[in-house]
Amino acid sequence: MLLPKYGIKTAIIGDGEYLIKCPHCECDTWSDILVISNYYHFFYVPIFPLYKDVTIFCKKCGLRRYGAPFNSTVFSDFSEVKRHYHNPWYTYIGITIATLFILLCVTFAIIGAISGYK
């Protein structure tokens, strides 16, 4: 059996309760939310985060909306809400490894140029 070596995975960032306009009952009501980060992985190592989405549970009508975008169309006070939900640190491991590798190569190139080796 071949296992996938790359693709998109999800990580739960957090949950909360916010005043949201429900798309079903069209009322501004308190809803429970679950914020999820989607990130790209290669050989099971997270490379970089792609986007966030939200699962909404309306307390008035019982609507459960999965995969709603994490943006101002869902939240009226989006600038306040987004401060509480950040991508997990480990979703940046691939970018960190690539950056460290480039910095290491540049450092060795500079050291080699200073010492006169080719």
Side-chain angles (χ1 to χ4, degrees), residues 48-107:
F48 54 86
L50 296 171
Y51 57 91
K52 298 176 196 168
D53 55 18
V54 180
T55 299
I56 302 170
F57 305 101
C58 179
K59 290 187 175 185
K60 184 174 181 182
C61 69
L63 172 76
R64 293 176 188 232
R65 183 175 177 197
Y66 299 96
F70 186 68
N71 59 26
S72 60
T73 60
V74 175
F75 301 97
S76 58
D77 57 345
F78 179 65
S79 59
E80 178 68 29
V81 174
K82 75 176 183 177
R83 283 194 263 159
H84 299 289
Y85 301 101
H86 301 284
N87 289 310
W89 64 270
Y90 59 84
T91 59
Y92 295 98
I93 288 177
I95 291 175
T96 304
I97 290 171
T99 303
L100 289 175
F101 178 74
I102 291 169
L103 288 175
L104 189 65
C105 290
V106 168
T107 303

Side-chain angles (χ1 to χ4, degrees), residues 6-9 38-42 45-50 91:
Y6 62 91
I8 297 174
K9 286 191 173 187
N38 297 285
Y39 61 91
Y40 182 76
H41 71 92
F42 186 70
V45 176
I47 304 298
F48 54 86
L50 296 171
T91 59

